[in-house]
Amino acid sequence: MLGFLIESLFFANIWIYLYNFLVQHLRLIYPPLPKDNFLILGVAPEPFEIPLYLILTFAVVLVIYIFHLKIKAGATKIKPLVKKIIFIFSTFIFLKNLGAYPLQEISLSTANLVFLAFYLMLLIFLITESAIIERLNFKFNRLMVYFLVALLIALLTFPPRFTISGVDYSYFFGPIWEVAHGKTIYNEVTSQYGFLSILFFSIFKALNLFSLPSLPVFIWILLIIQYLIYFHLIHKQSNSLTFGFLGLFSIMTINFFTVRVIPTDYPQSGPLRWFPLILPLFLLSRTKNFFSLALILVISVSSFWMIDSGIELLLAYIFTALILYMTNRVKLKTILRSFLALVLCLACFFAILNLAHLNLGLKSINLALVFNKLQQYANAGFGMLPMPDKTHFWLFILVYFASVIYFFINQLSPLGKISRKKVGVTSEVTLREADLRSEGKSLTAEKGSRVTESTFFENTILLFSANLMLFASIYYVGRSHPAELYTVSPFFLLTAFLLLAAILKKHLTSNYRVLTTITIFILFIAFPAWQRLDSLTKSIIIRYERFKKGNIFTPELNGLLIKKYGNEIKLIRQEMPEEEIIIVSGDDTYLYYLSNKYSLLADNSLITILTKQDLAHSLKKAGQTCPKKIAGECRLFRSCPNTGLFSQAFSTWQPIVLSELEKSCQVKYQPTECTDQLCIAEANSLL
C-alpha cells in the first residue's frame, strides 16, 4: 500500500514540475499575442496550456504502463524505513505545491459558527444513521433507499423561487427562443454553449410544453439526478451505504454549499453541462460492457448536448478504450469496431438532425459554426486565465495518476495479470476463468487474489471516471479561475471515492472502519466547509431569505421582468409591429421574450458577439433589410444615464453593434420615443 502511495505521489510531482517548467518556457520562447479581431478586452491567449496538459498526461500514463509491464518487479525491493522516508518527502513536496485553499473565506462570527455546527451535525446524524442500519444488517429495498436519497437531495438543494443569473441564462434563453420561432441553430442563430440542448428545449417550447422561466426547474431536477448517480456509483463500488453518503455529502459540500453562488442560478457550469458526461458512466455501471452498442449510442447522442463537454466525453471514451487495449483486455478488432461504430453513430445522428431540419423547411446546420465558439475560447483565448504554479488542481492530477496506477496494478501485476490472448469479451471474471481452466485450476481456488477482489468491471468504472475527470478538467485548465475548481470538483470527488472504495474493500478491517469514516468526513466535508465558512453561511441565508418571500415553487422571472420592463414592452409592441426586430440592449434576450418578438440579428443575446467576423455574420440579414426602427438602451442615444440591467451584462457590445449597423445601412438612428430605460429610434439617411 505504501508503495502505491509513493508511486502516485512520484508521478504526480514529476508531472507538476514538468508542466510548470515547460509552460513557463514556452511562454518565454513563443509569447502569445492577443488576436486583433476581438471586439472587446478579455482576450489572453494560452495556446500551450491545454495541449501541454493532455500531451504530458498521455506521456506519463505511457511511462507508468511501461514501468508496470517491464520494470516494477525488480525496482521495488526497498526497505520499509526508506519507503517511509520517501513517502514523507514526496508528500511534503506535493503539499507545498498546493498553495492556499481556493477562495478561502473564514469569518469567525457567531452566525457562521452556528450554521457550520448545524450543517455538520445534520450530516453526522445522517451518516451515523446509515452506519447503524448497516451494522444491524437491516434489509432494505434498494429502490426505496434511492427514492429517499433523491428526496433528501431535493430538500437540501431546493432553490426557492428558482432565481437565475440573467446574463448566464441568456446564453440559453436566446437561442431557444429563436430556434422555437423557426430559425436554424448554427446557421441563422448562434449558440455559445448548447447544441442538442437548445434543440431539445426549442422543440418543447414550440409545442407549448415548455416555458423559458421553467428552465431553472429542469436544471434543478437534473442536479438531483446527477447527485443521485454519484451516490449510486459510490454505493455500488463500495457496497456500503455509509460510504455512499460520505461521497454524496462531500460532493454536495464542495460543489453546492460552499460555492460562491447558488449553482442552479448558473446553467452553463452545472448539471446542464456535466450530465451528458455522467450518464454514460451510469449506463456502464448497468450494462457492465464498455464496448456495448447501447453505450456507444448514448455517448454519440450525449456528445451533441453541449459541444465542449461532448468533445471531452468522446476523448474520455477513446482514451479509456486505448488503455484497455494496452493491458490486453480486448482484441484490436474490438477496439477498431467500437471506434467505427462511434464515428458512424456521430455521422448518422448529425445527418438525421440535418435531414429533419430540411424536411421541416429549415436550413441545414453549418458544421463550421458549431466549433466557432470553441475555437474562440480554447485557441484564441477569450476569457482565459493562466494556471498558477501552486493550485489545488494538483489534487486532480494526483487522483488521476493514482487511479491509473491502481488499474495497472490490477491488470499487469503477476496476480492481477490476465491471459495475453487478445479476447473480445469484457468481463474480467470470464477472462480469468478461461485462463485458470487452461491451467487446470478454478476461480474459486483463487479467492483472495487481486483479480477476484477487484473485478474488471470495477476497474473499468474507475478508469472511465478518471478519464472523464481528466478531460472535463480542461474547463479549468483553460479558464483557471479558482471558482472553476468547484465547477469541476464532482469528477474529482467521484473518482477519489471510487478509488478509495476499491482500496478500502481490500485493506480496511472492521477495527479501523470508524476511524476511516471520521478521517474521510474531516478531510472531504468538515475541512472544506470550514475553509469556505462565509460561503456556506451565505448559501443558507440566501435561500432562507427567498423562502420568506413566499411563492417558493413559482419561478420569479416573469414577475421581475414585467415589473422592470412593463412600460418598455408596451412601447416596443406599439411602435414596432414587425415580428422580427432589433433590440440593442444588454437585456435584449428578455425584451424579445416579453414582447413576443424575435431578433433580426443572428445573435440573441448580443454578448455572444465576440469578434469582427461574429459581428459581420450577425448583421448580415439586418444590413440587407436596414430596419426603419430599432429599440435600444436610452444611454446609447444619450437620453438617460446608464441604467441597471437585469442581466448585468457587459456594456461594451451595444455601442459597437449600433455603430456597425448604422455604418452598414448608411443611416443614423435618432430617438423618437423613450422611457427611462429604452428608446425607439428611427433611421435617418446619411446620403
Side-chain angles (χ1 to χ4, degrees):
M1 184 62 189
L2 190 59
F4 165 73
L5 295 175
I6 291 171
E7 186 181 346
S8 302
L9 285 165
F10 172 78
F11 283 109
N13 285 331
I14 289 293
W15 189 99
I16 293 165
Y17 172 78
L18 288 175
Y19 179 86
N20 286 329
F21 176 83
L22 291 173
V23 79
Q24 289 172 7
H25 280 73
L26 285 170
R27 287 171 185 159
L28 290 174
I29 298 171
Y30 307 102
L33 299 174
K35 300 291 180 67
D36 59 2
N37 64 330
F38 279 87
L39 298 173
I40 60 172
L41 299 176
V43 181
E46 290 290 341
F48 309 117
E49 285 197 340
I50 294 175
L52 181 62
Y53 166 73
L54 295 176
I55 292 171
L56 190 58
T57 302
F58 298 158
V60 172
V61 169
L62 185 59
V63 171
I64 294 172
Y65 167 72
I66 295 171
F67 175 74
H68 279 268
L69 187 66
K70 303 290 185 182
I71 304 171
K72 187 176 180 182
T76 56
K77 297 176 181 178
I78 304 173
K79 293 181 179 180
L81 179 60
V82 177
K83 279 188 176 183
K84 291 176 183 177
I85 295 172
I86 294 173
F87 172 71
I88 293 171
F89 177 74
S90 300
T91 303
F92 173 77
I93 295 296
F94 181 79
L95 293 177
K96 189 178 178 181
N97 281 317
L98 292 183
Y101 194 88
L103 302 175
Q104 184 184 65
E105 290 181 331
I106 306 175
S107 298
L108 298 180
S109 65
T110 303
N112 279 358
L113 295 176
V114 169
F115 281 121
L116 176 64
F118 171 77
Y119 178 73
L120 294 180
M121 290 301 294
L122 174 63
L123 299 192
I124 289 171
F125 170 77
L126 293 170
I127 292 170
T128 304
E129 287 296 310
S130 67
I132 293 172
I133 291 172
E134 279 191 319
R135 191 69 178 266
L136 296 175
N137 291 321
F138 181 76
K139 301 295 182 181
F140 49 80
N141 184 286
R142 179 164 292 190
L143 288 178
M144 179 58 68
V145 170
Y146 284 177
F147 172 77
L148 293 175
V149 172
L151 185 61
L152 175 65
I153 295 169
L155 290 172
L156 292 175
T157 61
F158 178 70
R161 300 174 63 82
F162 296 98
T163 56
I164 69 169
S165 165
V167 63
D168 293 274
Y169 267 84
S170 69
Y171 287 119
F172 293 91
F173 280 175
I176 291 170
W177 181 256
E178 299 296 326
V179 174
H181 280 82
K183 289 188 178 181
T184 300
I185 191 171
Y186 294 118
N187 188 312
E188 298 171 294
V189 61
T190 58
S191 174
Q192 184 78 12
Y193 298 104
F195 184 4
L196 187 59
S197 54
I198 301 299
L199 294 176
F200 174 82
F201 291 116
S202 299
I203 291 170
F204 284 93
K205 175 69 183 72
L207 296 173
N208 293 319
L209 299 175
F210 170 80
S211 64
L212 294 185
S214 64
L215 182 57
V217 180
F218 181 86
I219 291 175
W220 173 58
I221 294 171
L222 272 187
L223 183 69
I224 296 170
I225 298 172
Q226 181 175 301
Y227 283 165
L228 185 62
I229 291 175
Y230 295 145
F231 171 80
H232 164 77
L233 293 170
I234 297 170
H235 176 221
K236 189 170 184 177
Q237 186 88 332
S238 64
N239 293 323
S240 168
L241 190 63
T242 304
F243 201 78
F245 276 116
L246 278 171
L248 173 65
F249 293 147
S250 298
I251 293 171
M252 291 179 66
T253 297
I254 296 174
N255 182 243
F256 188 89
F257 287 106
T258 61
V259 296
R260 296 185 301 171
V261 296
I262 304 298
T264 49
D265 289 1
Y266 294 80
Q268 77 276 20
S269 58
L272 205 59
R273 172 184 292 275
W274 301 132
F275 188 76
L277 275 71
I278 295 301
L279 184 60
L281 192 61
F282 170 73
L283 182 63
L284 177 60
S285 75
R286 307 299 298 173
T287 63
K288 303 182 182 181
N289 185 350
F290 190 73
F291 299 101
S292 70
L293 185 58
L295 180 62
I296 291 173
L297 184 60
V298 167
I299 288 174
S300 301
V301 175
S302 298
S303 64
F304 283 93
W305 186 257
M306 294 181 73
I307 296 302
D308 55 344
S309 59
I311 293 173
E312 292 157 5
L313 173 59
L314 293 173
L315 290 174
Y317 180 81
I318 292 170
F319 194 44
T320 302
L322 291 176
I323 292 177
L324 292 176
Y325 175 70
M326 287 166 59
T327 54
N328 290 300
R329 297 306 310 176
V330 290
K331 293 180 181 178
L332 178 61
K333 183 169 66 175
T334 303
I335 296 288
L336 295 177
R337 188 166 56 233
S338 67
F339 287 174
L340 178 60
L342 184 63
V343 171
L344 289 176
C345 286
L346 289 169
C348 288
F349 189 71
F350 185 74
I352 289 170
L353 288 178
N354 260 320
L355 287 173
H357 277 72
L358 295 174
N359 287 335
L360 292 171
L362 305 174
K363 296 182 179 179
S364 61
I365 299 167
N366 187 337
L367 191 60
L369 290 178
V370 171
F371 298 99
N372 184 44
K373 294 300 177 186
L374 191 66
Q375 186 275 335
Q376 290 172 353
Y377 277 78
N379 185 20
F382 182 80
M384 293 297 183
L385 295 170
M387 187 154 59
D389 295 344
K390 298 181 184 298
T391 169
H392 273 57
F393 180 68
W394 303 145
L395 288 168
F396 289 59
I397 300 301
L398 175 63
V399 168
Y400 179 76
F401 287 131
S403 301
V404 171
I405 289 167
Y406 182 85
F407 179 82
F408 283 142
I409 285 174
N410 283 280
Q411 306 309 317
L412 298 177
S413 65
L415 287 177
K417 185 165 54 178
I418 63 160
S419 171
R420 295 297 177 188
K421 300 174 184 178
K422 295 181 175 62
V423 290
V425 295
T426 55
S427 166
E428 179 169 355
V429 175
T430 304
L431 287 167
R432 191 58 181 163
E433 283 178 332
D435 293 342
L436 292 172
R437 279 198 301 270
S438 68
E439 300 168 8
K441 302 176 183 178
S442 69
L443 187 63
T444 305
E446 204 183 52
K447 293 282 188 181
S449 75
R450 294 178 184 175
V451 173
T452 304
E453 295 176 10
S454 179
T455 65
F456 171 75
F457 161 65
E458 292 172 337
N459 290 334
T460 305
I461 285 283
L462 174 61
L463 181 64
F464 192 31
S465 176
N467 282 323
L468 287 171
M469 176 186 69
L470 171 70
F471 291 103
S473 296
I474 291 174
Y475 188 81
Y476 170 78
V477 174
R479 184 180 173 83
S480 302
H481 191 284
E484 306 305 347
L485 281 173
Y486 296 92
T487 300
V488 297
S489 62
F491 294 96
F492 160 71
L493 292 166
L494 175 63
T495 305
F497 273 88
L498 292 178
L499 177 61
L500 283 172
I503 292 172
L504 294 178
K505 277 201 301 185
K506 287 185 178 183
H507 301 283
L508 183 64
T509 62
S510 58
N511 296 333
Y512 295 97
R513 192 174 300 277
V514 174
L515 179 61
T516 303
T517 301
I518 293 172
T519 303
I520 292 173
F521 181 87
I522 292 172
L523 289 177
F524 289 94
I525 298 176
F527 180 72
W530 170 258
Q531 293 293 322
R532 294 281 295 159
L533 185 56
D534 291 3
S535 293
L536 176 66
T537 302
K538 289 175 186 175
S539 172
I540 297 172
I541 291 176
I542 287 173
R543 291 196 294 154
Y544 173 71
E545 292 295 332
R546 292 175 182 176
F547 264 109
K548 286 169 54 177
K549 292 180 180 180
N551 297 320
I552 61 173
F553 298 108
T554 304
E556 67 175 14
L557 178 63
N558 278 353
L560 288 176
L561 290 176
I562 291 172
K563 182 179 179 181
K564 180 174 179 60
Y565 284 124
N567 293 331
E568 287 71 25
I569 297 309
K570 291 178 183 177
L571 182 63
I572 291 173
R573 289 174 175 172
Q574 176 183 324
E575 296 291 328
M576 307 176 76
E578 304 88 354
E579 287 187 340
E580 208 171 27
I581 63 174
I582 293 179
I583 300 176
V584 187
S585 167
D587 283 339
D588 54 337
T589 293
Y590 302 100
L591 291 169
Y592 286 124
Y593 161 65
L594 289 173
S595 60
N596 200 28
K597 309 286 185 180
Y598 53 101
S599 178
L600 190 59
L601 306 176
D603 289 88
N604 181 353
S605 71
L606 297 180
I607 57 175
T608 58
I609 301 175
L610 302 179
T611 65
K612 296 174 183 177
Q613 290 81 2
D614 288 346
L615 183 58
H617 174 74
S618 189
L619 288 171
K620 184 177 180 181
K621 185 176 179 180
Q624 295 170 348
T625 58
C626 293
K628 186 170 181 58
K629 291 183 179 181
I630 66 169
E633 295 176 27
C634 56
R635 69 178 177 91
L636 298 173
F637 308 103
R638 299 181 181 179
S639 299
C640 68
N642 288 346
T643 55
L645 296 170
F646 168 74
S647 63
Q648 298 180 356
F650 299 106
S651 59
T652 310
W653 277 269
Q654 298 83 22
I656 296 173
V657 172
L658 177 61
S659 175
E660 191 64 25
L661 176 63
E662 290 177 334
K663 181 180 176 181
S664 298
C665 294
Q666 293 294 298
V667 298
K668 182 69 176 178
Y669 284 101
Q670 299 291 344
T672 56
E673 292 281 343
C674 290
T675 67
D676 292 338
Q677 302 180 91
L678 186 118
C679 287
I680 302 298
E682 192 166 333
N684 292 327
S685 177
L686 296 178
L687 300 177

